[in-house]
Amino acid sequence: MTLHAASREALGLAENTLGEVLGDAGTDPATVGEELLSVVDLLTGEIGLRRAVADASSAPEARKNLLRSLLESKLSAPSLKVLETAVSSRWSSPRELLDGIESLGRSALLTSAEKTGNLDTVEDELFRVARIVAGEPALERALSEQTAPAEAKRTLVRTLFSDKVDVVTEKLAEQAILRNRGRSVAGGLDQLVKLAAERRQRAVAYVTTASELSGEQRSQLAEKLAAIYGKQISLRIEVDPKLGGGLIVRVGDEVMDGSAAGRIEALRRQLAG
């Protein structure tokens, strides 16, 4: 998510408020996350309301009052407090306010997974869901279709993954799909994998290997990559026999191709040149 300077400052203020409310022992982070994302859904469909609560030309208190009049009876006090901070701040555009609230909702859900000790599970499940979507072009097209009703997409996600993944995984996946905005659904899910890994101060290494790696091989690979990148590594491994041998490792924008298929392709390019 790329925000302009004013929006980054506004998001920082809202993140501080989110941290405060989630630090209260009586606050349920999962509830806050779900409620914030429900507001994202509301503002996505109500363009006039989105513009009104993001209108920097109106007084901050007026925007807060508008928010309260509509949502006070529908949201918990912690969620309302975070949203009041968000709408009373100055955003570069209504779209960036929407992106900011989505970021806050995701953060609250990941905090929920962290507090229950399920963060690693959620990260792994998001990776698996992303690979399923990436491996099924018809499913990717169905979930990416901009004109498809949101409820139809939500139903499809729940049919495929409900009771098979953690509830936080399901909620995050739903939101990534509903607001993919023409981007790759699998790519949006991979971004969530990255966010979950960053929570544990780790970088994500996407590894495609020709055959399954043993536990010792995984440990050795993680150690070598940690030495290269200077931080702990979260390995996300996919087996693809078509590689012929070896493996491909992607960390951020950097790709290390040690596969037989990669070496053959490199040789072909050299011969063609």
Side-chain angles (χ1 to χ4, degrees):
M1 179 178 63
T2 302
L3 299 176
H4 292 88
S7 295
R8 287 198 300 272
E9 182 177 348
L11 179 59
L13 293 171
E15 286 175 336
N16 288 340
T17 301
L18 179 65
E20 291 172 7
V21 301
L22 295 185
D24 188 328
T27 300
D28 177 15
T31 297
V32 173
E34 290 183 32
E35 289 181 343
L36 292 176
L37 293 181
S38 73
V39 173
V40 171
D41 292 342
L42 171 66
L43 296 180
T44 297
E46 299 290 342
I47 298 175
L49 176 59
R50 183 168 75 235
R51 289 174 176 165
V53 295
D55 184 5
S57 67
S58 65
E61 196 60 34
R63 300 198 296 273
K64 287 168 65 174
N65 287 338
L66 174 60
L67 182 79
R68 283 195 209 101
S69 68
L70 294 171
L71 300 176
E72 189 168 23
S73 63
K74 299 179 175 64
L75 300 178
S76 63
S79 298
L80 193 63
K81 184 175 181 180
V82 173
L83 287 166
E84 285 178 344
T85 300
V87 302
S88 63
S89 301
R90 185 181 184 89
W91 296 82
S92 298
S93 69
R95 174 61 63 183
E96 292 196 358
L97 167 63
L98 198 60
D99 289 345
I101 297 174
E102 180 180 46
S103 175
L104 295 166
R106 289 175 169 182
S107 182
L109 285 174
L110 289 173
T111 298
S112 169
E114 196 170 24
K115 287 189 172 183
T116 57
N118 290 335
L119 188 57
D120 185 63
T121 296
V122 167
E123 181 187 332
D124 185 64
E125 288 176 347
L126 287 168
F127 171 74
R128 298 299 168 193
V129 171
R131 301 287 70 74
I132 290 169
V133 173
E136 298 287 345
L139 178 59
E140 170 88 41
R141 286 194 298 272
L143 295 174
S144 301
E145 176 56 56
Q146 295 297 292
T147 59
E151 196 53 42
K153 291 184 180 181
R154 186 178 280 112
T155 298
L156 178 56
V157 171
R158 291 176 180 175
T159 300
L160 290 171
F161 304 114
S162 184
D163 299 328
K164 300 180 180 70
V165 297
D166 188 277
V167 65
V168 170
T169 304
E170 184 181 335
K171 293 297 181 183
L172 288 169
E174 264 186 34
Q175 197 64 28
I177 290 164
L178 292 176
R179 292 200 73 226
N180 75 313
R181 288 166 288 177
R183 300 170 300 188
S184 158
V185 168
L189 292 166
D190 280 338
Q191 182 61 31
L192 290 172
V193 174
K194 180 182 176 183
L195 290 175
E198 287 174 348
R199 284 255 165 178
R200 298 186 294 142
Q201 298 182 320
R202 293 170 178 254
V204 181
Y206 293 96
V207 180
T208 307
T209 176
S211 58
E212 195 67 60
L213 299 180
S214 67
E216 183 179 356
Q217 288 172 321
R218 289 171 183 245
S219 297
Q220 289 175 350
L221 179 58
E223 288 174 9
K224 290 178 180 178
L225 292 172
I228 292 171
Y229 291 100
K231 61 172 62 178
Q232 292 298 303
I233 296 293
S234 179
L235 292 181
R236 296 301 163 202
I237 299 173
E238 184 176 12
V239 177
D240 182 0
K242 294 193 295 293
L243 290 184
L247 46 79
I248 299 172
V249 179
R250 175 170 62 85
V251 181
D253 295 328
E254 187 172 346
V255 178
M256 292 170 277
D257 190 343
S259 68
R263 292 192 293 273
I264 292 170
E265 182 58 32
L267 179 59
R268 283 175 179 164
R269 288 197 297 268
Q270 289 175 12
L271 293 172

